Amino acid sequence: MIRTLTYAEALNEAQVQCLEADENVYVIGLGAPDPKGIFGTTIGLREKFGSDRVFDMPISENAVTGMAIGSAITGMRPVLSHQRIDFAIAAMEQIVNQAAKWYFMFAGQSSVPIVIRMIIGRGWGQGPQHSQSLQAMFAHVPGLKVVMPATAHDAKGLLIASIEDNNPVIFIEHRWLYGLNSLVPQEKYSEPLGRCKVIREGTDITIVSLSYMTIESLRAADMLEDSGVSTEIVDIRTVSPLDWDTIFESVSKTGRLLVADTGTMSFGVSGEIIAKCVENLYGKLKSSPNRISLPDLPSPTSSSLAKTYFPRAVDIAELALSSFGRNLDKKWWKLEEGVRLDIPNTNFTGPF
Amino acid sequence: MMIDQSVRLEFKQNLYNEMLRIRTVEERIAELYSEQEMRCPVHLCIGQEAIAVGVSAALQNRDYVFSGHRAHGHYLAKGGNLKAMMAEIYGKEGGCSQGNGGSMHLIDLSVNFMGSTPIVGSTIPVAVGAAFTAKIKKQHAVSVAYFGDGATETGVFHESINFAATQNLPVIFICEDNFYSVYSSFEERQSANRDIIKLVQGHGVNSFEGDGNNVEEVFNLTLSAVNRAREGGGPSFIKLLTYRWREHCGPNYDNDIGYRTEAEFLQWQAKCPLKAYETILMSMNIMSDALYQKLFSEYLTEMNNAVQYAKSQPFPSIKNAFTDIFSAQ
Ligand SMILES: Cc1ncc(C[n+]2csc(CCOP(=O)(O)OP(=O)(O)O)c2C)c(N)n1
Ligand SMILES: [Mg+2]
């Protein structure tokens, strides 16, 4: 059976089905069993599976990560959640030194099947320590898989695949996606890690995007369509390992590339993708590749700063058209006048 | 003798006034939040005012203070500028962090309120570092770290306590124990046998416990810790029991969502730090209903002016934010 679920519901269902399917799976995170259930993604799990499979935790991110690693190498499959990626970096030591290296440094004798969910976001004054987008930091470390689903369908399938994977997976969710719907099959299914997905076909330009920027890219593609530009969108889904074949195939076809990332620009995902495409497809590029990301600046809190800091569909479309030497029709910018840009929708009223 | 007595009464009056001022500010933030113009998370300290006020009364301007996400009271009690705080919460240029930070990132260097940031436990070692400076430079200053019961679960808390003890630093660790970390009760987070006082003592640090809703008790505990620290007696830890009235983050009450009971809340509301002290001061004929009305309307006017100031300030420009990445030489 297939029906619409929100991204948050899809993540919840993935955890339910993994807890049902494998007695070694357990869920742990600050607030996992509390009434809000990590933005709804863990609501009801304690009631269904009990307090010996669904755990809250002390504010001890590094120790709990190490504990999860220890349980993983001895047969368990922990799903550890952090309400902000900013809290997870308190556990950077365990993640980078232990989880990422364990399999390698002991020559494959023991692996670490752990999923660490981390939440990124934008807007409503989350500010410098509550809205960083640090996927590149994790993707920089060999031995970590980094997954960033954009749709409810992929959220479920990729979370199941991540839990079933034998390696440490950093699973990054964007808060502005939680309320978005897509068609989600009821049965347990997995989407392969390390595979991008062409989610819109086109012929003139390729936008390679991830997470929430895929949603903005889809909007941008409509604006581009209106300007007579046919856009292909490749949703990254897994930042590391990255599926170069799919990206190369699309860019070879269109000859134009724009990368849309949620992180700050320098030394990030967009730079890596552009570098690899230039290295491999130099002769096929019709214009120099472009990228949209955050400026190299910590996330500011003020709503007025958020407006210029966080890029949107219009920015993507404008930049995409620039590689054709054209400008975006002013009407698209006009549509944004008076719209509050630091909230995902008008139902959002804070406080966090 | 007469002078002593009047100083003593004035001191008591000030303790009360400062609590009322913070309460008035926080209540007003809660009222105005629904206008959707304070576009950042706010963690209100309503119910916990006695700690900030009692601690600050034992401090001098030169003493350093650090805090976390629930910092409005700590900032105001240390003398932090109210207008700058409100402008910060409104995301405006005149804000204490010029809109870069919001409610969770307060600073007022003119009163050595050195900074509050919302990663739990994260400013505790920073406060220890300021105590390090105070000791090395013989500033005769102490450093205060405010944090909650949840923060004592972080590794960095224990590492900081150990470092402070090893170096015999003039730092006061103020733990505001309000029973919850967001919606998580102690059962989820700590063993029933855990005794934080003994744990800290185990690090070789003086450790005390008190009623965080009793402003004079907070003051007295802090003052002896401060005196000890100034005389080279090293760090102290003080755990103060209290209760957060509103939701963890935001302007509303949340006793209905299931992590705590209305009965528990009412029990603590009956132990209101302001009411308790007001009753004492009334019996001493210091406070009266008329005086309360006068004070309240003064603070409300001050707060309304601060809000008006905040609203009238311009929004910051992103161009200016770019100059905030690195300090120039
Ligand atoms: C390292 C880290 N982990 C998790 C959080 C999320 N968080 C914000 S406030 C809070 C609760 C803190 O509880 P406590 O220290 O008791 O302070 P209180 O809110 O009760 O004043 C948590 C877990 C965080 N900010 N930082
Ligand atoms: Mg607490």
Side-chain angles (χ1 to χ4, degrees):
Chain A
M1 195 180 83
I2 191 157
R3 70 275 192 257
T4 51
L5 286 189
T6 66
Y7 188 93
E9 288 164 345
L11 289 168
N12 190 303
E13 188 167 273
Q15 291 172 93
V16 167
Q17 292 177 346
C18 289
L19 283 159
E20 275 167 354
D22 183 349
E23 62 178 18
N24 295 316
V25 172
Y26 69 93
V27 166
I28 185 165
L30 274 172
D34 82 18
K36 300 268 171 97
I38 313 189
F39 303 102
T41 62
T42 57
I43 279 183
L45 298 187
R46 157 106 21 123
E47 290 68 22
K48 266 197 201 92
F49 298 98
S51 52
D52 49 358
R53 300 199 60 200
V54 180
F55 302 90
D56 207 325
M57 60 179 254
I59 310 176
S60 311
E61 283 86 358
N62 199 36
V64 172
T65 304
M67 185 285 296
I69 293 168
S71 75
I73 61 175
T74 48
M76 305 297 288
R77 287 189 176 265
V79 182
L80 166 59
S81 299
H82 299 286
Q83 307 221 14
R84 297 281 187 291
I85 204 167
D86 319 67
F87 311 155
I89 54 180
M92 209 60 174
E93 192 281 313
Q94 285 289 332
I95 296 170
V96 175
N97 281 326
Q98 307 298 7
K101 312 287 193 292
W102 202 269
Y103 186 75
F104 177 83
M105 66 191 172
F106 299 121
Q109 297 177 75
S110 164
S111 67
V112 187
I114 177 177
V115 177
I116 311 181
R117 296 175 52 212
M118 303 179 188
I119 296 166
I120 60 173
R122 61 155 75 179
W124 202 266
Q126 298 297 308
Q129 296 182 340
H130 276 58
S131 53
Q132 300 173 78
S133 207
L134 302 173
Q135 56 271 19
M137 261 170 59
F138 293 100
H140 190 65
V141 179
L144 297 178
K145 296 191 178 182
V146 180
V147 176
M148 296 183 77
T151 65
H153 176 275
D154 286 352
K156 179 176 171 184
L158 287 168
L159 183 55
I160 290 170
S162 299
I163 294 170
E164 290 175 348
D165 197 276
N166 279 339
N167 301 285
V169 178
I170 307 299
F171 194 92
I172 301 177
E173 302 155 21
H174 195 292
R175 279 182 50 220
W176 281 23
L177 296 171
Y178 282 139
L180 301 186
N181 292 301
S182 72
L183 287 173
V184 178
Q186 185 152 41
E187 71 271 9
K188 184 163 174 272
Y189 63 93
S190 62
E191 283 289 315
L193 302 188
R195 287 281 167 72
C196 297
K197 186 148 102 184
V198 176
I199 56 164
R200 179 178 171 127
E201 291 192 12
T203 52
D204 302 333
I205 185 167
T206 299
I207 297 180
V208 177
S209 61
L210 54 71
S211 186
Y212 179 71
M213 289 310 280
T214 294
I215 308 303
E216 294 287 344
S217 297
L218 283 165
R219 290 184 192 130
D222 289 339
M223 300 175 190
L224 291 167
E225 185 86 57
D226 180 71
S227 306
V229 170
S230 160
T231 307
E232 179 144 306
I233 298 181
V234 179
D235 180 24
I236 291 175
R237 304 202 301 171
T238 306
V239 176
S240 180
L242 198 41
D243 170 12
W244 294 111
D245 292 347
T246 302
I247 292 175
F248 289 167
E249 193 180 321
S250 176
V251 176
S252 302
K253 179 175 78 179
T254 62
R256 287 190 165 85
L257 169 65
L258 185 155
V259 185
D261 181 21
T262 58
T264 48
M265 183 177 284
S266 295
F267 310 100
V269 173
S270 61
E272 183 59 30
I273 292 174
I274 289 173
K276 272 272 197 336
C277 286
V278 171
E279 282 167 359
N280 288 274
L281 307 173
Y282 186 69
K284 294 191 175 139
L285 292 170
K286 297 175 187 158
S287 60
S288 88
N290 281 314
R291 49 181 160 159
I292 285 270
S293 58
L294 302 181
D296 292 327
L297 182 73
S299 311
T301 294
S302 172
S303 58
S304 75
L305 299 175
K307 199 156 51 188
T308 12
Y309 183 74
F310 293 105
R312 306 179 303 279
V314 276
D315 302 295
I316 298 171
E318 187 76 73
L319 188 62
L321 280 172
S322 77
S323 54
F324 299 91
R326 296 172 50 193
N327 291 319
L328 183 65
D329 194 319
K330 294 264 181 303
K331 73 180 176 192
W332 296 109
W333 289 99
K334 280 234 171 63
L335 279 181
E336 295 208 338
E337 277 169 20
V339 176
R340 288 291 202 170
L341 299 169
D342 62 342
I343 48 176
N345 56 61
T346 49
N347 295 330
F348 188 94
T349 57
F352 67 100
Chain B
M1 183 66 202
M2 279 299 288
I3 291 170
D4 264 15
Q5 177 67 356
S6 77
V7 168
R8 222 164 60 83
L9 296 185
E10 191 186 322
F11 178 75
K12 285 175 188 286
Q13 180 74 58
N14 283 340
L15 289 180
Y16 178 80
N17 292 2
E18 198 51 41
M19 287 196 290
L20 181 60
R21 179 169 179 259
I22 294 170
R23 172 71 56 94
T24 307
V25 167
E26 293 286 73
E27 296 274 12
R28 193 78 187 121
I29 291 174
E31 278 168 21
L32 295 173
Y33 197 78
S34 63
E35 289 181 355
Q36 303 273 291
E37 286 185 52
M38 294 180 236
R39 300 175 83 82
C40 65
V42 290
H43 301 79
L44 303 178
C45 70
I46 298 170
Q48 307 189 179
E49 298 90 343
I51 298 177
V53 172
V55 168
S56 297
L59 301 178
Q60 303 295 324
N61 195 71
R62 67 177 181 279
D63 294 324
Y64 301 111
V65 170
F66 296 82
S67 178
H69 54 287
R70 200 175 306 287
H72 298 173
H74 306 148
Y75 169 96
L76 292 173
K78 188 69 174 44
N81 185 299
L82 174 63
K83 283 185 173 169
M85 178 177 105
M86 290 317 300
E88 190 57 32
I89 298 176
Y90 277 89
K92 297 300 185 71
E93 213 166 71
C96 60
S97 305
Q98 289 168 38
N100 285 358
S103 157
M104 305 194 291
H105 302 266
L106 302 179
I107 183 167
D108 190 337
L109 293 180
S110 71
V111 295
N112 273 4
F113 186 88
M114 303 304 291
S116 63
T117 78
I119 301 300
V120 172
S122 199
T123 52
I124 299 174
V126 184
V128 172
F132 191 71
T133 302
K135 183 185 165 194
I136 288 180
K137 296 206 172 223
K138 301 192 171 56
Q139 291 172 335
H140 210 58
V142 304
S143 181
V144 170
Y146 285 105
F147 49 88
D149 49 291
T152 69
E153 293 152 11
T154 64
V156 76
F157 164 74
H158 295 274
E159 296 171 40
S160 302
I161 293 260
N162 180 51
F163 187 89
T166 305
Q167 295 283 339
N168 199 41
L169 299 179
V171 53
I172 325 278
F173 301 97
I174 301 289
C175 175
E176 299 181 304
D177 184 346
N178 62 9
F179 301 87
Y180 294 95
S181 163
V182 191
Y183 315 118
S184 302
S185 62
F186 278 119
E187 293 86 82
E188 300 278 356
R189 308 182 277 126
Q190 299 178 13
S191 145
N193 299 323
R194 184 186 200 248
D195 183 339
I196 187 67
I197 299 292
K198 285 198 185 135
L199 253 172
V200 173
Q201 280 168 350
H203 281 292
V205 168
N206 299 304
S207 189
F208 306 90
E209 186 166 357
D211 177 356
N213 283 12
N214 180 334
V215 68
E216 288 197 12
E217 187 172 331
V218 173
F219 168 72
N220 288 326
L221 279 169
T222 310
L223 187 64
S224 54
V226 167
N227 287 340
R228 196 165 40 245
R230 285 206 213 286
E231 286 154 18
S236 298
F237 171 89
I238 307 173
K239 178 175 103 167
L240 297 161
L241 285 188
T242 186
Y243 201 78
R244 146 175 74 74
W245 288 12
R246 303 280 174 138
E247 58 191 333
H248 165 69
C249 176
N252 302 310
Y253 292 94
D254 66 355
N255 304 319
D256 56 326
I257 68 171
Y259 73 101
R260 66 186 198 186
T261 62
E262 182 75 12
E264 180 185 276
F265 164 72
L266 291 173
Q267 196 188 328
W268 276 95
Q269 201 180 35
K271 294 190 227 170
C272 172
L274 276 77
K275 271 273 169 292
Y277 204 48
E278 194 180 298
T279 308
I280 294 172
L281 298 195
M282 289 238 185
S283 73
M284 299 174 75
N285 288 323
I286 306 176
M287 271 303 292
S288 63
D289 287 335
L291 183 54
Y292 170 85
Q293 282 310 332
K294 178 176 167 287
L295 291 169
F296 175 68
S297 79
E298 257 174 51
Y299 295 136
L300 190 60
T301 305
E302 184 199 10
M303 174 59 173
N304 286 338
N305 288 340
V307 169
Q308 205 176 6
Y309 166 81
K311 288 187 173 179
S312 69
Q313 282 285 300
F315 278 108
S317 134
I318 195 97
K319 282 195 208 77
N320 296 340
F322 275 100
T323 63
D324 293 338
I325 302 177
F326 292 114
S327 169
Q329 282 313 308

